[in-house]
Amino acid sequence: MARLTYLERRGATYYARIDIPLDLVPHYGTTTRKKSLRTKDERTAKVALWPVIEQWRAEFEEVRSRREITANDMALATWQHLRGNAGARRGKSAQHANRSRNRS
C-alpha cells in the first residue's frame, strides 16, 4: 500500500521517500526510493519535497512507457484489436444489408 506521506525525518535531516510502484520493483531492484532534502527545517523540506516527488512520478511513467512488451501485453493487445475489428465488421455488414434492402 502506498505511503500517505512522502516526508521522512532521519536524525535532524528531512528526506523525500516514495514507494516504488509494484510493477517497477524488478526494474529498480528495491521497494523504496529516498533522497535527502538537505535541510533541518520542516517548512523548507515541505517546499523542496514536491518537485522531487513529481520528478520521480514522471520517471516512473517514462520507465513504464519504454518497458519491453510481455506475452500478456501482446495477448491483451491482440484481443482488443480483434474485438475492435469484429465490431467494425459487424457495422459494415449491417450497412451492406441496409443498402441491399434499400435497392429492392
XYZ file of all heavy atoms in Angstrom:
856
model
N 0.847 -1.177 0.000
C 0.000 0.000 0.000
C 0.889 1.235 0.000
O 1.939 1.273 0.627
C -0.895 -0.023 1.231
C -1.812 1.151 1.331
S -2.964 0.888 2.666
C -4.338 1.724 1.964
N 0.467 2.273 -0.699
C 1.265 3.481 -0.817
C 1.295 4.258 0.494
O 0.330 4.251 1.258
C 0.689 4.362 -1.921
N 2.423 4.901 0.734
C 2.550 5.739 1.917
C 1.711 6.997 1.719
O 1.609 7.524 0.635
C 4.004 6.144 2.133
C 4.893 4.988 2.514
C 6.339 5.434 2.603
N 6.531 6.496 3.571
C 6.762 6.304 4.860
N 6.786 5.071 5.328
N 6.958 7.314 5.687
N 1.169 7.496 2.811
C 0.373 8.711 2.736
C 1.247 9.948 2.837
O 0.839 11.022 2.433
C -0.688 8.707 3.836
C -1.681 7.561 3.750
C -2.642 7.597 4.932
C -2.458 7.637 2.451
N 2.435 9.808 3.383
C 3.338 10.933 3.489
C 4.642 10.588 2.791
O 5.103 9.452 2.838
C 3.601 11.306 4.959
O 4.489 12.420 4.983
C 4.199 10.178 5.763
N 5.204 11.565 2.142
C 6.456 11.354 1.430
C 7.630 11.982 2.170
O 8.750 11.892 1.712
C 6.367 11.962 0.026
C 5.264 11.374 -0.810
C 4.089 12.072 -1.042
C 5.404 10.111 -1.374
C 3.087 11.535 -1.814
C 4.396 9.558 -2.148
C 3.249 10.273 -2.364
O 2.249 9.738 -3.126
N 7.354 12.618 3.286
C 8.382 13.311 4.055
C 8.799 12.441 5.240
O 7.968 11.942 5.979
C 7.838 14.657 4.546
C 8.833 15.615 5.175
C 9.896 16.020 4.160
C 8.093 16.844 5.688
N 10.101 12.264 5.395
C 10.621 11.438 6.479
C 11.782 12.178 7.137
O 12.592 12.793 6.454
C 11.112 10.114 5.879
C 11.671 9.146 6.864
C 12.102 7.865 6.164
O 11.229 7.019 5.890
O 13.300 7.725 5.894
N 11.832 12.098 8.445
C 12.930 12.727 9.176
C 13.817 11.641 9.752
O 13.360 10.758 10.461
C 12.385 13.609 10.288
C 13.449 14.459 10.918
C 12.826 15.467 11.821
N 13.563 15.441 13.093
C 13.194 16.090 14.163
N 12.084 16.778 14.174
N 13.918 16.026 15.245
N 15.097 11.719 9.426
C 16.087 10.785 9.965
C 17.131 11.624 10.683
O 17.840 12.412 10.047
C 16.719 9.974 8.843
C 15.724 8.992 8.264
C 16.192 8.167 7.091
N 17.602 7.920 6.975
C 18.197 7.614 5.823
N 17.486 7.553 4.715
N 19.480 7.385 5.780
N 17.162 11.474 11.981
C 18.022 12.345 12.779
C 17.436 13.751 12.708
O 16.269 13.964 12.986
N 18.220 14.699 12.275
C 17.745 16.071 12.153
C 17.429 16.444 10.706
O 16.861 17.499 10.440
C 18.783 17.035 12.706
N 17.751 15.588 9.743
C 17.604 15.896 8.327
C 16.324 15.293 7.754
O 15.954 14.164 8.072
C 18.825 15.356 7.545
O 20.007 15.884 8.141
C 18.776 15.758 6.089
N 15.688 16.051 6.871
C 14.468 15.586 6.208
C 14.809 14.934 4.872
O 15.712 15.375 4.161
C 13.503 16.747 5.993
C 12.799 17.147 7.267
C 13.314 18.138 8.088
C 11.625 16.510 7.655
C 12.675 18.490 9.266
C 10.985 16.857 8.832
C 11.509 17.842 9.636
O 10.870 18.187 10.790
N 14.037 13.890 4.558
C 14.225 13.130 3.328
C 12.898 13.009 2.589
O 11.832 12.938 3.209
C 14.706 11.702 3.638
C 16.139 11.627 4.074
C 16.509 11.977 5.367
C 17.123 11.199 3.200
C 17.829 11.916 5.775
C 18.451 11.126 3.601
C 18.796 11.491 4.882
O 20.099 11.427 5.278
N 12.983 12.950 1.269
C 11.838 12.574 0.443
C 11.870 11.055 0.343
O 12.930 10.454 0.204
C 11.942 13.198 -0.939
N 10.705 10.436 0.427
C 10.632 8.982 0.337
C 9.380 8.605 -0.442
O 8.311 9.167 -0.235
C 10.557 8.363 1.723
C 10.400 6.865 1.646
C 10.057 6.253 2.961
N 9.627 4.894 2.706
C 9.817 3.897 3.520
N 10.410 4.094 4.662
N 9.394 2.704 3.215
N 9.534 7.663 -1.346
C 8.390 7.181 -2.115
C 8.514 5.672 -2.274
O 9.621 5.138 -2.380
C 8.309 7.883 -3.504
C 6.959 7.630 -4.163
C 9.445 7.452 -4.402
C 6.689 8.505 -5.368
N 7.371 4.996 -2.251
C 7.352 3.562 -2.521
C 7.369 3.372 -4.034
O 6.607 4.017 -4.756
C 6.099 2.907 -1.934
C 6.125 2.858 -0.417
O 7.232 2.860 0.156
O 5.038 2.825 0.195
N 8.227 2.499 -4.493
C 8.299 2.179 -5.917
C 7.029 1.411 -6.280
O 6.643 0.479 -5.573
C 9.537 1.301 -6.221
C 10.828 1.957 -5.737
C 9.597 0.935 -7.693
C 11.322 3.106 -6.533
N 6.337 1.777 -7.374
C 5.161 1.001 -7.788
C 5.534 -0.475 -7.979
O 6.634 -0.791 -8.456
C 4.758 1.644 -9.124
C 5.300 3.043 -9.034
C 6.571 2.926 -8.248
N 4.634 -1.344 -7.605
C 4.919 -2.783 -7.613
C 5.376 -3.299 -8.975
O 6.252 -4.165 -9.052
C 3.696 -3.564 -7.139
C 3.318 -3.352 -5.681
C 2.046 -4.124 -5.343
C 4.454 -3.764 -4.759
N 4.804 -2.769 -10.050
C 5.196 -3.254 -11.374
C 6.602 -2.809 -11.771
O 7.181 -3.349 -12.706
C 4.179 -2.835 -12.436
C 4.052 -1.322 -12.576
O 4.064 -0.618 -11.552
O 3.925 -0.842 -13.721
N 7.179 -1.847 -11.051
C 8.516 -1.360 -11.375
C 9.597 -1.821 -10.398
O 10.768 -1.531 -10.598
C 8.503 0.172 -11.433
C 7.588 0.784 -12.484
C 7.651 2.295 -12.427
C 7.932 0.284 -13.873
N 9.199 -2.531 -9.349
C 10.178 -3.009 -8.364
C 11.262 -3.861 -9.024
O 12.449 -3.672 -8.736
C 9.479 -3.762 -7.201
C 10.483 -4.504 -6.335
C 8.677 -2.771 -6.365
N 10.939 -4.782 -9.937
C 12.012 -5.549 -10.580
C 12.992 -4.660 -11.356
O 14.187 -4.933 -11.392
C 11.267 -6.487 -11.538
C 9.904 -6.618 -10.954
C 9.613 -5.280 -10.335
N 12.495 -3.590 -11.941
C 13.365 -2.672 -12.689
C 14.343 -1.957 -11.761
O 15.526 -1.835 -12.063
C 12.515 -1.647 -13.446
C 13.322 -0.599 -14.145
N 13.941 -0.834 -15.351
C 13.637 0.670 -13.797
C 14.590 0.258 -15.716
N 14.423 1.197 -14.792
N 13.847 -1.464 -10.631
C 14.680 -0.710 -9.702
C 15.429 -1.584 -8.696
O 16.427 -1.164 -8.133
C 13.827 0.318 -8.940
C 13.439 1.485 -9.800
C 12.201 1.534 -10.424
C 14.299 2.552 -10.000
C 11.846 2.607 -11.217
C 13.951 3.625 -10.789
C 12.718 3.652 -11.401
O 12.372 4.708 -12.193
N 14.917 -2.782 -8.446
C 15.580 -3.685 -7.504
C 15.395 -3.304 -6.047
O 16.112 -3.804 -5.184
N 14.456 -2.422 -5.756
C 14.163 -2.010 -4.387
C 12.698 -1.590 -4.307
O 12.062 -1.371 -5.333
C 15.084 -0.851 -3.936
O 14.837 -0.561 -2.567
C 14.874 0.390 -4.763
N 12.189 -1.491 -3.097
C 10.778 -1.130 -2.939
C 10.578 0.338 -2.573
O 9.451 0.821 -2.618
C 10.124 -1.997 -1.844
O 10.843 -1.815 -0.627
C 10.116 -3.464 -2.249
N 11.659 1.029 -2.200
C 11.532 2.439 -1.838
C 12.664 3.257 -2.441
O 13.718 2.722 -2.798
C 11.569 2.654 -0.308
O 12.793 2.154 0.199
C 10.402 1.995 0.381
N 12.397 4.539 -2.529
C 13.409 5.468 -3.010
C 13.469 6.629 -2.037
O 12.435 7.151 -1.615
C 13.011 5.959 -4.392
C 14.109 6.625 -5.125
C 13.834 6.577 -6.589
N 15.024 6.985 -7.289
C 15.041 7.322 -8.551
N 13.931 7.293 -9.244
N 16.152 7.687 -9.117
N 14.685 7.043 -1.675
C 14.864 8.132 -0.711
C 15.888 9.124 -1.244
O 16.817 8.745 -1.955
C 15.366 7.593 0.628
C 14.429 6.645 1.312
C 15.046 6.097 2.575
C 14.174 5.004 3.152
N 14.783 4.367 4.302
N 15.689 10.384 -0.847
C 16.641 11.430 -1.220
C 16.660 12.479 -0.126
O 15.607 12.937 0.331
C 16.242 12.077 -2.542
C 17.187 13.175 -2.982
C 16.749 13.793 -4.289
C 17.743 14.883 -4.678
N 17.381 15.488 -5.946
N 17.865 12.877 0.272
C 17.987 13.919 1.277
C 17.509 15.246 0.698
O 17.834 15.599 -0.438
C 19.438 14.053 1.727
O 19.565 15.184 2.572
N 16.712 15.968 1.477
C 16.277 17.299 1.072
C 17.257 18.362 1.571
O 17.055 19.553 1.336
C 14.863 17.567 1.587
C 13.809 16.611 1.023
C 12.472 16.839 1.707
C 13.689 16.758 -0.480
N 18.290 17.929 2.270
C 19.396 18.767 2.746
C 18.927 19.959 3.586
O 19.392 21.069 3.402
C 20.232 19.245 1.572
C 20.887 18.117 0.838
C 21.733 18.607 -0.275
N 22.335 17.473 -0.950
C 23.094 17.575 -2.002
N 23.383 18.753 -2.501
N 23.594 16.504 -2.556
N 17.970 19.662 4.461
C 17.501 20.706 5.360
C 17.077 20.098 6.683
O 16.671 18.933 6.737
C 16.352 21.518 4.746
O 16.013 22.587 5.628
C 15.130 20.665 4.482
N 17.152 20.910 7.715
C 16.688 20.504 9.038
C 15.406 21.230 9.399
O 14.806 20.951 10.433
C 17.775 20.800 10.079
C 19.019 19.980 9.834
C 20.122 20.314 10.795
C 21.350 19.481 10.427
N 22.452 19.690 11.330
N 14.957 22.116 8.506
C 13.752 22.901 8.726
C 12.564 22.238 8.035
O 12.600 21.994 6.822
C 13.951 24.314 8.179
C 12.734 25.181 8.387
O 12.303 25.341 9.559
O 12.191 25.675 7.375
N 11.494 21.971 8.786
C 10.348 21.258 8.228
C 9.673 22.047 7.109
O 9.278 21.478 6.097
C 9.336 20.944 9.335
C 8.178 20.094 8.837
C 7.214 19.705 9.940
O 7.382 20.151 11.094
O 6.273 18.947 9.635
N 9.503 23.340 7.273
C 8.854 24.152 6.231
C 9.635 24.121 4.925
O 9.070 23.946 3.850
C 8.698 25.597 6.692
C 7.593 25.800 7.643
C 7.412 27.260 7.925
N 6.383 27.431 8.935
C 5.977 28.583 9.379
N 6.514 29.695 8.913
N 5.040 28.652 10.292
N 10.933 24.270 5.024
C 11.793 24.212 3.832
C 11.708 22.833 3.185
O 11.666 22.707 1.966
C 13.250 24.549 4.209
O 13.278 25.806 4.880
C 14.141 24.601 2.995
N 11.671 21.808 4.006
C 11.580 20.437 3.497
C 10.276 20.218 2.740
O 10.269 19.597 1.675
C 11.693 19.447 4.647
N 9.171 20.747 3.266
C 7.876 20.574 2.603
C 7.849 21.268 1.242
O 7.236 20.773 0.302
C 6.750 21.088 3.494
C 6.462 20.152 4.647
C 5.342 20.679 5.517
C 5.041 19.726 6.664
N 3.967 20.218 7.527
N 8.529 22.393 1.140
C 8.597 23.099 -0.142
C 9.465 22.327 -1.133
O 9.127 22.201 -2.311
C 9.136 24.540 0.056
C 9.437 25.193 -1.273
C 8.151 25.363 0.868
N 10.572 21.787 -0.666
C 11.505 21.056 -1.532
C 11.004 19.659 -1.891
O 11.459 19.064 -2.874
C 12.859 20.943 -0.845
N 10.063 19.138 -1.123
C 9.590 17.762 -1.292
C 8.879 17.527 -2.617
O 9.184 16.574 -3.333
C 8.648 17.406 -0.128
C 7.930 16.067 -0.216
C 8.934 14.935 -0.092
C 6.880 15.979 0.883
N 7.919 18.358 -2.975
C 7.036 18.061 -4.113
C 7.722 18.040 -5.468
O 7.400 17.180 -6.302
C 5.803 18.956 -4.080
C 4.973 18.530 -2.916
C 4.807 19.188 -1.732
C 4.274 17.293 -2.780
N 4.046 18.436 -0.868
C 3.695 17.268 -1.492
C 4.082 16.190 -3.597
C 2.936 16.199 -1.030
C 3.330 15.129 -3.138
C 2.768 15.141 -1.865
N 8.688 18.911 -5.726
C 9.396 18.756 -7.003
C 10.112 17.410 -7.126
O 10.147 16.815 -8.208
C 10.402 19.918 -7.004
C 9.771 20.950 -6.124
C 9.049 20.166 -5.060
N 10.645 16.910 -6.033
C 11.320 15.603 -6.041
C 10.303 14.493 -6.321
O 10.536 13.616 -7.165
C 12.049 15.343 -4.703
C 12.610 13.924 -4.643
C 13.151 16.368 -4.488
N 9.167 14.542 -5.641
C 8.129 13.513 -5.826
C 7.611 13.538 -7.255
O 7.462 12.485 -7.903
C 6.979 13.709 -4.810
C 7.485 13.532 -3.369
C 5.818 12.766 -5.105
C 8.084 12.186 -3.066
N 7.346 14.717 -7.783
C 6.848 14.824 -9.164
C 7.881 14.317 -10.166
O 7.528 13.687 -11.159
C 6.437 16.263 -9.474
C 5.199 16.702 -8.725
C 3.997 15.782 -8.951
O 3.745 15.386 -10.112
O 3.314 15.458 -7.967
N 9.146 14.580 -9.912
C 10.203 14.085 -10.790
C 10.225 12.559 -10.783
O 10.345 11.922 -11.837
C 11.554 14.635 -10.345
C 12.714 14.152 -11.195
C 14.055 14.626 -10.662
O 14.145 15.192 -9.577
N 15.104 14.374 -11.418
N 10.106 11.969 -9.602
C 10.085 10.504 -9.513
C 8.864 9.926 -10.217
O 8.965 8.930 -10.922
C 10.132 10.063 -8.058
C 11.470 10.189 -7.406
C 12.683 10.293 -8.027
C 11.732 10.211 -6.010
N 13.683 10.390 -7.091
C 13.134 10.337 -5.844
C 10.942 10.144 -4.883
C 13.739 10.389 -4.597
C 11.547 10.195 -3.634
C 12.933 10.318 -3.499
N 7.712 10.531 -10.015
C 6.493 10.032 -10.677
C 6.638 10.089 -12.191
O 6.238 9.161 -12.899
C 5.283 10.829 -10.228
C 4.851 10.515 -8.818
C 3.667 11.346 -8.434
N 3.181 11.015 -7.101
C 2.309 11.739 -6.441
N 1.810 12.843 -6.975
N 1.927 11.375 -5.241
N 7.188 11.184 -12.703
C 7.416 11.300 -14.143
C 8.394 10.226 -14.619
O 8.208 9.636 -15.693
C 7.942 12.697 -14.473
N 9.414 9.967 -13.819
C 10.379 8.918 -14.166
C 9.696 7.552 -14.210
O 9.945 6.756 -15.117
C 11.509 8.907 -13.141
C 12.578 7.871 -13.423
C 13.653 7.844 -12.347
O 14.034 8.915 -11.849
O 14.105 6.724 -12.016
N 8.824 7.280 -13.248
C 8.102 6.002 -13.239
C 7.269 5.841 -14.514
O 7.259 4.779 -15.126
C 7.194 5.878 -12.014
C 7.921 5.839 -10.693
C 7.277 6.236 -9.533
C 9.237 5.411 -10.594
C 7.921 6.200 -8.302
C 9.897 5.372 -9.368
C 9.242 5.779 -8.222
N 6.586 6.892 -14.913
C 5.772 6.838 -16.130
C 6.644 6.643 -17.365
O 6.280 5.906 -18.278
C 4.921 8.101 -16.269
C 3.791 8.170 -15.269
C 2.890 6.942 -15.308
O 2.477 6.525 -16.413
O 2.614 6.387 -14.237
N 7.798 7.293 -17.388
C 8.710 7.156 -18.516
C 9.248 5.730 -18.600
O 9.326 5.146 -19.681
C 9.849 8.171 -18.360
C 10.637 8.423 -19.631
C 11.892 7.586 -19.706
O 12.506 7.332 -18.664
O 12.255 7.163 -20.813
N 9.588 5.141 -17.460
C 10.076 3.758 -17.442
C 8.971 2.820 -17.918
O 9.224 1.902 -18.703
C 10.572 3.360 -16.026
C 10.787 1.859 -15.914
C 11.846 4.109 -15.693
N 7.755 3.063 -17.472
C 6.628 2.223 -17.919
C 6.436 2.325 -19.430
O 6.121 1.338 -20.084
C 5.341 2.659 -17.234
C 5.195 2.151 -15.841
C 3.831 2.513 -15.299
N 3.659 1.999 -13.973
C 3.414 2.744 -12.906
N 3.282 4.054 -13.020
N 3.270 2.193 -11.728
N 6.601 3.509 -19.978
C 6.331 3.709 -21.403
C 7.376 3.032 -22.293
O 7.092 2.729 -23.443
C 6.264 5.196 -21.737
O 7.543 5.786 -21.657
N 8.570 2.777 -21.777
C 9.601 2.169 -22.614
C 9.972 0.745 -22.198
O 10.963 0.213 -22.651
C 10.846 3.049 -22.652
C 11.525 3.286 -21.360
C 12.730 4.231 -21.539
N 13.196 4.687 -20.260
C 14.047 4.023 -19.487
N 14.535 2.881 -19.875
N 14.416 4.518 -18.331
N 9.160 0.146 -21.350
C 9.469 -1.226 -20.941
C 9.190 -2.194 -22.082
O 8.462 -1.878 -23.021
C 8.677 -1.625 -19.701
C 7.214 -1.785 -19.953
C 6.483 -2.130 -18.676
N 5.079 -2.216 -18.986
C 4.299 -3.196 -18.601
N 4.771 -4.153 -17.857
N 3.038 -3.217 -18.935
N 9.758 -3.367 -21.996
C 9.565 -4.378 -23.025
C 8.144 -4.919 -22.970
O 7.551 -5.021 -21.902
C 10.550 -5.526 -22.840
C 11.976 -5.143 -23.136
C 12.905 -6.333 -23.057
O 12.452 -7.474 -23.260
O 14.081 -6.105 -22.793
N 7.631 -5.288 -24.128
C 6.289 -5.848 -24.208
C 6.351 -7.308 -23.770
O 7.169 -8.081 -24.270
C 5.737 -5.739 -25.635
C 5.578 -4.273 -26.003
C 4.421 -6.481 -25.771
C 5.143 -4.047 -27.415
N 5.495 -7.669 -22.836
C 5.449 -9.045 -22.352
C 4.443 -9.844 -23.181
O 3.667 -9.276 -23.958
C 5.018 -9.095 -20.873
O 3.675 -8.613 -20.775
C 5.941 -8.259 -20.004
N 4.443 -11.142 -22.990
C 3.484 -12.004 -23.689
C 2.051 -11.624 -23.304
O 1.160 -11.621 -24.157
C 3.763 -13.462 -23.369
N 1.833 -11.284 -22.038
C 0.495 -10.872 -21.605
C 0.074 -9.569 -22.269
O -1.088 -9.396 -22.643
C 0.439 -10.724 -20.087
C 0.466 -12.057 -19.380
O 0.158 -13.088 -19.968
N 0.857 -12.048 -18.124
N 1.024 -8.618 -22.399
C 0.719 -7.366 -23.091
C 0.302 -7.636 -24.537
O -0.646 -7.056 -25.047
C 1.923 -6.423 -23.083
C 2.289 -5.920 -21.702
O 1.402 -5.900 -20.822
O 3.448 -5.547 -21.508
N 1.044 -8.507 -25.191
C 0.764 -8.837 -26.593
C -0.599 -9.525 -26.723
O -1.373 -9.206 -27.625
C 1.858 -9.745 -27.157
C 1.691 -10.046 -28.627
S 1.814 -8.593 -29.672
C 3.561 -8.349 -29.653
N -0.891 -10.437 -25.818
C -2.178 -11.139 -25.863
C -3.332 -10.158 -25.661
O -4.346 -10.216 -26.370
C -2.225 -12.237 -24.808
N -3.190 -9.243 -24.716
C -4.224 -8.250 -24.473
C -4.417 -7.343 -25.677
O -5.544 -7.076 -26.097
C -3.887 -7.422 -23.229
C -4.876 -6.311 -22.885
C -6.255 -6.897 -22.575
C -4.363 -5.496 -21.716
N -3.327 -6.879 -26.269
C -3.414 -6.014 -27.442
C -4.079 -6.746 -28.609
O -4.915 -6.171 -29.323
C -2.032 -5.525 -27.845
N -3.742 -8.013 -28.796
C -4.345 -8.810 -29.870
C -5.840 -8.965 -29.642
O -6.644 -8.777 -30.564
C -3.669 -10.195 -29.958
O -2.274 -10.005 -30.163
C -4.261 -11.031 -31.066
N -6.217 -9.280 -28.419
C -7.623 -9.459 -28.086
C -8.400 -8.156 -28.327
O -9.462 -8.164 -28.937
C -7.764 -9.916 -26.643
C -9.177 -10.028 -26.178
C -9.804 -9.226 -25.291
C -10.150 -10.983 -26.592
N -11.102 -9.617 -25.110
C -11.342 -10.692 -25.902
C -10.137 -12.049 -27.482
C -12.507 -11.438 -26.085
C -11.295 -12.793 -27.643
C -12.460 -12.485 -26.955
N -7.847 -7.042 -27.878
C -8.521 -5.756 -28.075
C -8.624 -5.420 -29.553
O -9.642 -4.909 -30.010
C -7.779 -4.652 -27.319
C -7.930 -4.768 -25.825
C -7.050 -3.788 -25.066
O -6.096 -3.255 -25.605
N -7.384 -3.562 -23.801
N -7.586 -5.733 -30.315
C -7.603 -5.474 -31.750
C -8.683 -6.312 -32.441
O -9.449 -5.804 -33.253
C -6.231 -5.782 -32.353
C -6.183 -5.651 -33.834
N -6.193 -4.443 -34.467
C -6.151 -6.591 -34.807
C -6.159 -4.632 -35.775
N -6.128 -5.930 -36.001
N -8.727 -7.588 -32.097
C -9.712 -8.472 -32.735
C -11.140 -8.075 -32.365
O -12.034 -8.109 -33.204
C -9.445 -9.925 -32.361
C -8.156 -10.513 -32.948
C -7.924 -11.908 -32.408
C -8.204 -10.507 -34.466
N -11.347 -7.707 -31.120
C -12.687 -7.267 -30.705
C -13.078 -5.992 -31.439
O -14.210 -5.828 -31.856
C -12.735 -7.032 -29.200
C -12.763 -8.328 -28.427
C -13.039 -8.107 -26.995
N -14.373 -7.529 -26.841
C -14.827 -6.979 -25.736
N -14.036 -6.888 -24.691
N -16.027 -6.495 -25.657
N -12.138 -5.093 -31.620
C -12.410 -3.846 -32.332
C -12.736 -4.094 -33.787
O -13.665 -3.510 -34.341
N -12.008 -5.001 -34.443
C -12.264 -5.314 -35.848
C -13.570 -6.064 -36.020
O -14.261 -5.877 -37.012
C -11.120 -6.140 -36.434
C -9.923 -5.281 -36.766
O -10.033 -4.062 -36.820
N -8.794 -5.902 -36.963
N -13.905 -6.907 -35.066
C -15.166 -7.651 -35.154
C -16.332 -6.673 -35.129
O -17.297 -6.806 -35.881
C -15.279 -8.660 -34.019
N -16.251 -5.664 -34.271
C -17.301 -4.652 -34.209
C -17.375 -3.863 -35.490
O -18.449 -3.544 -35.997
N -16.226 -3.560 -36.067
C -16.196 -2.808 -37.319
C -16.779 -3.646 -38.448
O -17.526 -3.141 -39.284
C -14.760 -2.398 -37.644
N -16.469 -4.959 -38.441
C -17.013 -5.827 -39.488
C -18.523 -5.931 -39.367
O -19.234 -5.895 -40.357
C -16.377 -7.223 -39.394
C -15.084 -7.304 -40.152
C -14.581 -8.719 -40.258
N -13.444 -8.797 -39.341
C -13.335 -9.667 -38.358
N -14.246 -10.555 -38.153
N -12.283 -9.657 -37.579
N -19.015 -6.041 -38.130
C -20.457 -6.114 -37.948
C -21.118 -4.845 -38.463
O -22.151 -4.884 -39.075
C -20.815 -6.339 -36.477
C -20.858 -7.803 -36.115
C -21.357 -8.016 -34.714
N -20.148 -8.176 -33.904
C -19.898 -7.548 -32.773
N -20.772 -6.709 -32.270
N -18.793 -7.746 -32.114
N -20.494 -3.738 -38.190
C -21.042 -2.467 -38.649
C -21.083 -2.408 -40.160
O -22.061 -1.956 -40.754
N -20.051 -2.897 -40.836
C -20.015 -2.886 -42.296
C -21.061 -3.841 -42.863
O -21.716 -3.534 -43.836
C -18.625 -3.275 -42.799
C -17.603 -2.184 -42.599
C -16.254 -2.597 -43.129
C -15.235 -1.495 -42.873
N -13.911 -1.864 -43.326
N -21.230 -4.993 -42.239
C -22.231 -5.955 -42.718
C -23.622 -5.366 -42.592
O -24.444 -5.524 -43.484
C -22.148 -7.250 -41.914
O -20.900 -7.864 -42.113
N -23.879 -4.697 -41.489
C -25.194 -4.084 -41.295
C -25.420 -2.993 -42.323
O -26.524 -2.863 -42.886
C -25.309 -3.525 -39.882
N -24.391 -2.214 -42.617
C -24.528 -1.164 -43.624
C -24.789 -1.785 -44.983
O -25.637 -1.310 -45.745
C -23.257 -0.309 -43.681
C -23.063 0.585 -42.486
C -21.706 1.272 -42.512
O -20.878 0.988 -43.378
N -21.476 2.147 -41.545
N -24.079 -2.865 -45.302
C -24.260 -3.543 -46.581
C -25.689 -4.101 -46.692
O -26.332 -3.981 -47.732
C -23.237 -4.667 -46.733
C -23.364 -5.407 -48.017
N -23.045 -4.832 -49.233
C -23.797 -6.665 -48.294
C -23.273 -5.701 -50.192
N -23.722 -6.824 -49.643
N -26.194 -4.693 -45.619
C -27.552 -5.242 -45.621
C -28.575 -4.131 -45.810
O -29.547 -4.296 -46.547
C -27.819 -5.997 -44.322
N -28.370 -3.000 -45.165
C -29.297 -1.876 -45.321
C -29.282 -1.347 -46.749
O -30.335 -1.016 -47.297
C -28.945 -0.741 -44.352
C -29.303 -1.088 -42.924
O -30.151 -1.951 -42.682
N -28.649 -0.428 -41.971
N -28.143 -1.293 -47.387
C -28.057 -0.825 -48.765
C -28.779 -1.781 -49.693
O -29.476 -1.372 -50.616
C -26.592 -0.707 -49.195
C -25.907 0.487 -48.618
C -24.513 0.633 -49.177
N -23.760 1.571 -48.393
C -22.479 1.510 -48.150
N -21.762 0.511 -48.643
N -21.878 2.414 -47.420
N -28.630 -3.103 -49.427
C -29.295 -4.101 -50.254
C -30.805 -3.975 -50.129
O -31.541 -4.086 -51.114
C -28.867 -5.505 -49.868
O -27.497 -5.668 -50.091
N -31.305 -3.741 -48.924
C -32.734 -3.590 -48.712
C -33.270 -2.346 -49.409
O -34.355 -2.353 -49.952
C -33.034 -3.495 -47.225
C -32.964 -4.809 -46.514
C -33.426 -4.671 -45.075
N -32.731 -5.676 -44.300
C -32.101 -5.483 -43.161
N -32.071 -4.297 -42.616
N -31.483 -6.459 -42.557
N -32.503 -1.280 -49.381
C -32.937 -0.027 -49.975
C -33.014 -0.122 -51.490
O -33.804 0.554 -52.125
C -32.005 1.129 -49.571
C -32.150 1.463 -48.097
O -33.175 1.166 -47.498
N -31.123 2.073 -47.546
N -32.193 -0.951 -52.119
C -32.196 -1.113 -53.568
C -33.413 -1.881 -54.068
O -33.841 -1.709 -55.173
C -30.919 -1.843 -54.012
C -29.684 -0.998 -53.857
C -28.488 -1.745 -54.375
N -27.282 -1.020 -54.027
C -26.089 -1.530 -54.028
N -25.907 -2.799 -54.372
N -25.045 -0.804 -53.703
N -33.940 -2.754 -53.240
C -35.039 -3.611 -53.674
C -36.340 -2.891 -53.772
O -36.715 -1.933 -53.311
C -35.225 -4.775 -52.710
O -34.055 -5.521 -52.638
